[in-house]
Amino acid sequence: MQFNALAKNEISLKKCFHMRYQKIFFLIILISISAVLISNQLESTDNISILVNNSGPFIGTSIPYQNGYDGSGIVVSIIDTGIDLNHPDLEGQIIGGYDFVDNDEIPEDTNGHGTQVAGIIASNGNLKGIAPNSKILMYKVSEDGESVPSHLIIKAIEKSIEDSADIINISLGINQTNTKIDQAVNKAVKNDIFVVTAAGNFGPELSTIGSPGINPNAITVGATFNNVTSSIVSTFEIEDKSFNVFPMVGTQSLTEPIVSQIIFGKYGKVNDLLENDVEGSILLIERGSDIENEIIYFSDKEKNASDVGAMAIIVYNNEPGIFFGELIHEYVDDGYEPTIPALSVSRDDGLIIKEILQSGTKGTLDVFYHPDFVAYFSSRGPVSPFYIKPDLVAPGAFINTTDTNGNYKISSGTSFAAPHVAGTAALILQKNPELIPQELKSILMTTSEIVYDQFDDRFPIEVSGNGRIDASKAINAELIIMPPNLIFDLSSTNQIQTKHLKINGIDGESMSIRFEKSHIVDFDYDLEDENLVINAKLTEQSLGEFESRIIINHNEIDYHIPIIVRVSEGAITINEDGGKLGIDISSPSSWSYAKISIINQETGKTFTDSIVPGKNSELIVYEPGEYWIEAKIKDGDKTLSAYTTIQVEKIEHSEKNLANTLNLPEKPILIIAAIMIVTTIVGLSVRRR
């Protein structure tokens, strides 16, 4: 299903983010299979408390519970599809809310999404949520879970403020920017409400996070797998080359990797496999068939390969892109059970593997449990050159939770990762009720666990943010480090940049600071009371973005502050004097034109100007605060990007021209004024005639 959210002014629920079917197929199948596998166990009440609480202990909730923190006294607003008002595990948890669909005070859930989100946060029965003694305000903004007018989300945020919520959970959004929703989120944060948003389910492509997850003041949550046996990943290597392969549903983890010869098995039919001796091999097989309209299920390919003694099969796509296959489905033969690993790979990679196959070519295949793997569907950043998204990740696959009609359900999506963070935030606020949203956000981010991919490489920050939430470290945190990550902009012109971290709660004798080694920059620091001054000096002229980290250890807790170092060809330098911004541009050769954009960090207001060499460009701002500045520099046939950030402490001028008053560029204002004057003159002339 495709939709134009902006044209229709509608926002699709992230549960129903309408992922491209090629990617969602994997997710739906996994959910279905998992539900079947545990449905019999759910009939026993004794088993429920065990089955539905794997993600909580996995992120460390047992530590807060042991110290008496269960969310008591904290109110969480959930903006969603409503809630099952009669679910036994949610009885007594709901203290208010509103149905903005039917305009009444009974936010009954007929879809299930809202009840599932609520159960992860605050269920307190057979199922125990992350903060089981917190209370819920439920604001229903959708009937069917498909879409919701944006103005209802805004109304729900406004009502959350009015009803004195401590936390807002928004597990819905779009993959585009909606300014009005972002403004409502900012208003909530200004009212000291901690706002948690789901990143969305448009992964694995980059730049797929939209509103409200794009908001810099909210904490935006991506999804990892979970502490269940279904959370498996795979690796496949030929000599030193690695290929991205994906376990099909029904494939089990291996006790040890398979190292074997790779043989091309055509389409995996019985006759295809009898042409060669494939016993003990890893078979490369093409998806589909060479006969038009013939259907060969993945389960058939797996069984045929197993029957002739193959160790595993890798099925490559018969069209561009990736796919996620299933071995267990409604058309399998009675009694069928997969016996060898079956994996999928893209068409491009499959053809590369086929091309390099020679007699004796060997590959190494592994399938293993990996609960902290970032889910394929989880939306990625970046969203802006000036801040980082997502902020962190949390379990969001195979989550056991409450459902409508008093039932339970296994759900997957970033919708269900976000309430893990909202629930953990409730535990922290119970212990430290004086924390403001920015401080709480910092604690959750800097105490998170770094997550790694299937090759044991750290996930990039635009995929996993700071890392996976860790409730045990967050509840014991004694430092508040702001901001929780840093971006340095360097170039051959600006080779040194200084940033500041404010650290509250310092005990200098028990704190150590170290930097990850980087071949691009050298870092040094100076600690001045609660101010950590960090200098980054460029040591290698390599263009691009590079990641590093600061690790601050205090009382046996490591706090991680990710760093992005951006090295550009061009550079922009701002000389600020009482709100007057003098602009200098540099580039490696001779630039001819530059477009300057200035963004007020707090309000989001943007105004632009264009400059050319020799022109003294000065822009004026009329509000103190932080400003983000971007330059698009025309240099020969190239367009270079340069970025910087400035802090305007005070304004030393008062006269405003029309352009700056409206935060608009001067030239368009003058043109518009000229057009208006000409139009008026022409109009008067016509009237006289």
Side-chain angles (χ1 to χ4, degrees), residues 9 52 54 76 101 106 140 165 184 201 209 285 309 314 351 416 438 441 450 471 512 518 551 586 612 641 665:
N9 197 31
V52 298
N54 42 31
V76 182
V101 177
I106 307 173
K140 181 175 179 177
N201 303 323
I209 298 174
I285 294 173
I314 297 174
L351 292 175
F416 312 108
Q438 292 85 352
K441 179 179 179 180
I450 297 174
S512 65
S518 170
I551 300 94
S586 61
V612 294
S641 296

Side-chain angles (χ1 to χ4, degrees), residues 293-331:
N293 297 324
E294 181 181 32
I295 298 175
I296 307 176
Y297 294 109
F298 299 126
S299 53
D300 296 330
K301 296 175 187 280
E302 184 274 339
K303 185 177 185 304
N304 293 341
S306 177
D307 287 345
V308 294
M311 299 286 287
I313 63 169
I314 297 174
V315 182
Y316 69 90
N317 209 352
N318 54 2
E319 58 185 36
I322 60 173
F323 72 97
F324 301 99
E326 56 166 331
L327 298 175
I328 307 296
H329 51 85
E330 59 180 315
Y331 301 110

Side-chain angles (χ1 to χ4, degrees), residues 204-225:
E205 276 80 9
L206 298 178
S207 300
T208 46
I209 298 174
S211 294
I214 202 171
N215 189 295
N217 296 310
I219 190 165
T220 304
V221 187
T224 58
F225 284 171

Side-chain angles (χ1 to χ4, degrees), residues 298-472:
F298 299 126
S299 53
D300 296 330
K301 296 175 187 280
E302 184 274 339
K303 185 177 185 304
N304 293 341
S306 177
D307 287 345
V308 294
M311 299 286 287
I313 63 169
I314 297 174
V315 182
Y316 69 90
N317 209 352
N318 54 2
E319 58 185 36
I322 60 173
F323 72 97
F324 301 99
E326 56 166 331
L327 298 175
I328 307 296
H329 51 85
E330 59 180 315
Y331 301 110
V332 298
D333 296 333
D334 291 340
Y336 166 77
E337 290 185 6
T339 57
I340 62 174
L343 305 103
S344 61
V345 70
S346 71
R347 177 171 179 78
D348 287 346
D349 280 354
L351 292 175
I352 291 172
I353 296 170
K354 182 180 176 182
E355 182 70 23
I356 63 177
L357 289 187
Q358 299 175 2
S359 177
T361 300
K362 287 189 175 183
T364 302
L365 173 67
D366 201 3
V367 182
F368 52 94
Y369 168 73
H370 192 349
D372 266 341
F373 189 84
V374 177
Y376 305 108
F377 58 79
S378 186
S379 287
R380 272 80 162 149
V383 301
S384 166
F386 302 103
Y387 61 94
I388 296 168
K389 289 289 179 176
D391 295 295
L392 44 68
V393 289
F398 321 115
I399 305 299
N400 300 279
T401 184
T402 50
D403 197 18
T404 52
N405 301 315
N407 293 322
Y408 302 91
K409 186 176 182 179
I410 299 173
S411 298
S412 292
T414 59
S415 285
F416 312 108
H420 283 80
V421 174
T424 303
L427 305 179
I428 308 302
L429 275 182
Q430 180 187 355
K431 180 181 180 182
N432 303 294
E434 74 287 351
L435 290 173
I436 62 174
Q438 292 85 352
E439 293 172 334
L440 178 54
K441 179 179 179 180
S442 175
I443 288 173
L444 294 172
M445 290 174 65
T446 58
T447 59
S448 61
E449 284 290 316
I450 297 174
V451 289
Y452 298 87
D453 66 16
Q454 66 269 48
F455 299 105
D456 207 29
D457 293 324
R458 186 170 65 203
F459 275 107
I461 193 168
E462 67 264 20
V463 175
S464 65
N466 279 42
R468 191 258 301 149
I469 191 169
D470 188 326
S472 61

Side-chain angles (χ1 to χ4, degrees), residues 30 34 37-38 54 225-233 251-253 367-371 398:
L30 285 177
S34 299
L37 291 175
I38 73 166
N54 42 31
F225 284 171
N226 184 19
N227 189 21
V228 293
T229 55
S230 301
S231 296
I232 60 172
V233 297
T251 292
Q252 302 297 313
S253 58
V367 182
F368 52 94
Y369 168 73
H370 192 349
F398 321 115

